[in-house]
Amino acid sequence: MSVSTAAATQTICAPLPVLGRDVTVPLVTGGVVGYAALDYAASAPALQRVWDDVAAYAPYYGSVHRGAGYLSQLSTDLFENARRTVAEFLDCRADDQLVFTRSTTDSLNLLAAALPAGCQVFVFETEHHASLLPWQDARVTYLDAPRTPRQAVATLERALAGRDPHGPALVCVTGASNVTGELWPVRELAAAAHAHGARIVLDAAQLAPHHPVSVRDLDVDWVAFSGHKLYAPFGSGVLAGRADWLRAAEPYLAGGGASRKVTRRQDGGVDVEWHESAARHEAGSPNVIGAYSIASACKVLTEAGFGALVAREQHLVEKVRTGLAEVPEVRILSLFGDDAPRVGVISFVVDGWNSSHFAAALSAEYGIGVRDGLFCAHPLVRTLLGSDPQTQGECGAPEAAPGEKSLNAIRVSFGAGTPDEHVDRFVTAVRELVTEGATWTYRTEDGRCVPAV
């Protein structure tokens, strides 16, 4: 969907209602202030509509797929309708399977467990650990960080051209970086993968909350994302895409729900006939409330219109980037450059400040919640920082590995529920901290920088 920025701005004069928008927090300097939640890339606040939908359903909660009672039947219908709603949200193909999981990490580990024998995996070092690490049992080729979208495609094409052409192959790529917010050329990477006989899985954890994701249009084989980043709580995620590898694989978990038929053998063992549907990888009692909350969030975002949501978010992105650019001590981290399209995720460093110290001051003195560290993307952040990971700050950041401390980055992230006041306060706070310094004293406690009392 595309709409003009001017038209979209008129239709989205206010952010979508989310839980926590009226929460106040104490300041070390005295008084309280409305909490500015600017850590959406870690977990976005739940949409109010999602919470209301779940609350309305909660009295009717029952175990799915097993009970003859009314509540179990109702819950089963709700669970399977949620599957269809999410598949429509992702514009899945008619023969795709959609499996409910615990998270993006769980989804990608499920797919890793379903890889055919001898599968080669290609993944950029720039990935979040959820998409960087699950492939340890496969033949993995880690690709260097590209500096332009075109270079990303060329790097992948060279790597695929040198692979064994007779075996299966999989490319794993993010849709939007959880560090820089930059959009990756997913459609072009998918075309490159398919041209060389490989499949591709899209990590859409940071893309789906901010942009429409069409499996058909992007021509990806699978897509994975998490509910908690899509304004839906309760620890649920999604893996959707081609059914053949999933049907051929052993169940991700063995147990009730995944099995169609279990019989004893005369030798004392058991024979198992597994489901071929999504149930094959959904053993145990599923998280029906988590699945329902994802479906509810999909409906809210669809009804709001991604054209309007994207336009408003870009308005906030420009506010933050313009404000930070006016502070010479601030350096925004980027792979693809200032003009690269991005979602509401921005990481930066401040000269003379340890990231943990800066983030602690934003919280304690301004009521602003951001994130500091390596953001579960250690190779990427270290590449962007270009600094010695052994460097220790004066108010130490958390240990990234035994005996290792580093000057990490600060990440601010926002989305459909963020009011202008939160980003305005953030920009003002950055400027004041850099020019005037913190008004409070801080110390290190359990690896974190905290206000001294």
Side-chain angles (χ1 to χ4, degrees):
M1 180 186 299
S2 61
V3 296
S4 69
T5 300
T9 302
Q10 293 176 1
T11 63
I12 52 168
C13 56
L16 296 182
V18 294
L19 291 182
R21 59 190 180 276
D22 299 323
V23 168
T24 59
V25 295
L27 302 179
V28 293
T29 51
V32 298
V33 67
Y35 184 63
L38 297 179
D39 194 15
Y40 275 47
S43 283
L47 288 163
Q48 183 66 55
R49 161 88 170 275
V50 171
W51 194 259
D52 292 343
D53 284 348
V54 169
Y57 161 66
Y60 300 93
Y61 168 78
S63 182
V64 306
H65 298 150
R66 292 167 174 79
Y70 179 81
L71 298 192
S72 290
Q73 293 295 306
L74 180 68
S75 295
T76 297
D77 287 344
L78 182 142
F79 185 69
E80 294 304 332
N81 283 333
R83 196 189 306 276
R84 287 186 283 272
T85 296
V86 179
E88 291 174 1
F89 178 78
L90 295 172
D91 191 24
C92 289
R93 297 163 290 253
D95 55 351
D96 282 342
Q97 276 192 0
L98 189 145
V99 181
F100 283 116
T101 66
R102 293 178 297 176
S103 60
T104 307
T105 303
D106 196 37
S107 296
L108 294 171
N109 275 272
L110 189 166
L111 184 59
L115 295 181
C119 188
Q120 302 173 78
V121 177
F122 298 83
V123 56
F124 287 93
E125 68 171 352
T126 47
E127 293 291 309
H128 185 282
H129 294 172
S131 47
L132 185 72
L133 301 181
W135 324 104
Q136 300 297 309
D137 292 334
R139 291 187 290 163
V140 188
T141 299
Y142 295 104
L143 308 176
D144 292 339
R147 286 299 182 170
T148 65
R150 180 178 296 180
Q151 188 181 67
V153 177
T155 298
L156 179 61
E157 287 180 331
R158 284 195 301 270
L160 291 172
R163 81 173 186 92
D164 176 1
H166 302 295
L170 177 71
V171 176
C172 180
V173 67
T174 188
S177 171
N178 78 302
V179 176
T180 67
E182 292 164 314
L183 298 177
W184 277 63
V186 176
R187 188 179 292 104
E188 292 80 1
L189 291 167
H194 294 152
H196 290 275
R199 295 189 178 190
I200 186 168
V201 56
L202 169 64
D203 175 352
Q206 300 296 340
L207 183 63
H210 305 277
H211 279 267
V213 174
S214 168
V215 169
R216 297 173 195 260
D217 183 53
L218 295 173
D219 198 22
V220 294
D221 297 281
W222 292 277
V223 61
F225 71 89
S226 294
H228 71 99
K229 300 185 192 299
L230 195 79
Y231 311 100
F234 307 111
S236 193
V238 167
L239 176 68
R242 306 288 182 191
D244 53 350
W245 285 10
L246 299 176
R247 286 176 180 156
E250 289 296 307
Y252 186 47
L253 297 172
S259 56
R260 183 197 304 271
K261 181 181 179 182
V262 180
T263 57
R264 287 292 301 274
R265 297 195 305 263
Q266 289 185 349
D267 64 6
V270 295
D271 289 321
V272 184
E273 180 183 335
W274 303 106
H275 281 293
E276 292 190 355
S277 66
R280 185 183 189 90
H281 299 291
E282 293 178 342
S285 295
N287 182 359
V288 59
I289 288 182
Y292 182 46
S293 70
I294 290 180
S296 175
C298 290
K299 290 179 181 179
V300 175
L301 295 176
T302 300
E303 291 169 6
F306 269 107
L309 295 175
V310 169
R312 185 175 192 282
E313 184 174 308
Q314 290 309 302
H315 160 71
L316 298 179
V317 168
E318 289 307 310
K319 270 197 171 193
V320 172
R321 287 178 57 82
T322 300
L324 294 182
E326 295 172 352
V327 184
E329 292 82 358
V330 171
R331 176 168 70 93
I332 295 177
L333 304 183
S334 175
L335 267 179
F336 299 154
D338 290 343
D339 295 331
R342 66 196 71 223
V343 299
V345 179
I346 299 169
S347 295
F348 61 98
V349 292
V350 183
D351 289 345
W353 282 83
N354 172 270
S355 61
S356 182
H357 187 187
F358 201 89
L362 285 173
S363 175
E365 301 179 28
Y366 295 90
I368 299 171
V370 297
R371 185 156 295 242
D372 66 280
L374 297 172
F375 316 127
C376 289
H378 294 186
L380 171 57
V381 177
R382 286 172 178 156
T383 294
L384 295 173
L385 290 177
S387 60
D388 182 357
Q390 302 300 325
T391 304
Q392 183 173 339
E394 76 285 353
C395 191
E399 288 193 352
E404 173 188 314
K405 290 190 176 181
S406 60
L407 290 174
N408 303 319
I410 305 150
R411 184 181 70 191
V412 56
S413 53
F414 40 88
T418 305
D420 282 54
E421 187 275 327
H422 287 183
V423 298
D424 291 339
R425 192 196 320 170
F426 166 76
V427 170
T428 298
V430 170
R431 185 182 301 113
E432 290 180 357
L433 286 173
V434 171
T435 58
E436 302 172 16
T439 61
W440 207 259
T441 302
Y442 295 81
R443 60 185 176 84
T444 300
E445 180 180 292
D446 296 328
R448 295 294 311 175
C449 200
V450 299
V453 294

